[in-house]
Amino acid sequence: GRALRRSGAGPGDLLCVTGALGGAAAGLELLRKTSGSRRSARSRSDSDVRLAPHLWPQPRIAQGLWLRRKLGATAAIDLSDGLSTDLNHLCLESGVSAEVEAQSLPIHSGAKLEQALHGGEEYELLFTVRADAVIPRSIAGVPVSRIGRITKNHRSSPRVVLLERSGRRPLLPEGWQPFS
């Protein structure tokens, strides 16, 4: 009865993530591009660093426990299916909508915005906290970023919106869909 669930987010809550996003998708793309090609020891070493998020994801167990015990997180989900898809799951379960600020996304070095939004296999945590919560810069050595907020759900509006400098656009769930 004390687990962090997807269903506890409410309008006004802050939307946060651990770590950086898009690294696993960027690593997979690099792996696909370089498979079968001959590379020097130096380029192999450089790519190993870029492949790490894809090949060796780090589940955020300690951070999840801390969020429940110390920060009073209201909802959480890991980003195994990608931010766009998993945020949609959280919003559906909580009966809310969300706004994501593109400029606030912690994008992994070498990743693109679309990889950060839709790439999966991250195992970073997406979580919500009340608006008055003091969000730490890191939890157990892993950076934490506020990326948006939870809003009231309106049937006539998109469930999740991406706020960019050029305006607002619906953020459709384009990550991994395991049962499609």
Side-chain angles (χ1 to χ4, degrees), residues 78-153:
D78 73 55
L79 295 179
S80 57
D81 294 338
L83 175 64
S84 65
T85 297
D86 288 321
L87 177 53
N88 191 59
H89 293 319
L90 187 144
C91 287
L92 284 169
E93 291 290 322
S94 293
V96 296
S97 292
E99 294 178 339
V100 175
E101 300 162 4
Q103 301 304 317
S104 298
L105 289 173
I107 300 175
H108 194 278
S109 175
K112 301 171 195 145
L113 175 62
E114 294 304 309
Q115 291 169 322
L117 292 172
H118 309 297
E121 302 301 317
E122 300 280 37
Y123 300 98
E124 295 298 345
L125 296 177
L126 172 70
F127 64 95
T128 60
V129 294
R130 301 283 179 234
D132 60 353
V134 178
I135 302 165
R137 291 183 185 203
S138 67
I139 300 170
V142 176
V144 174
S145 302
R146 186 183 81 60
I147 63 165
R149 69 184 184 101
I150 299 297
T151 60
K152 187 174 179 181
N153 186 29

Side-chain angles (χ1 to χ4, degrees), residues 9-25:
D13 284 358
L14 302 178
L15 186 61
C16 305
V17 294
T18 60
L21 307 178

Side-chain angles (χ1 to χ4, degrees), residues 3-88:
L4 276 174
R5 301 181 185 276
R6 302 173 182 183
S7 58
D13 284 358
L14 302 178
L15 186 61
C16 305
V17 294
T18 60
L21 307 178
L28 178 59
E29 182 178 320
L30 177 63
L31 194 60
R32 285 179 175 155
K33 286 180 181 177
T34 59
S35 68
S37 69
R38 301 186 101 202
R39 298 177 290 155
S40 70
R42 177 176 164 76
S43 67
R44 234 183 347 263
S45 172
D46 291 345
S47 68
D48 289 349
V49 171
R50 294 182 290 164
L51 291 173
H54 173 69
L55 296 175
W56 302 288
Q58 301 295 310
R60 302 304 186 190
I61 296 166
Q63 292 76 15
L65 292 170
W66 192 92
L67 288 171
R68 184 179 57 79
R69 289 182 190 145
K70 305 280 187 184
L71 193 58
T74 54
I77 187 171
D78 73 55
L79 295 179
S80 57
D81 294 338
L83 175 64
S84 65
T85 297
D86 288 321
L87 177 53
N88 191 59

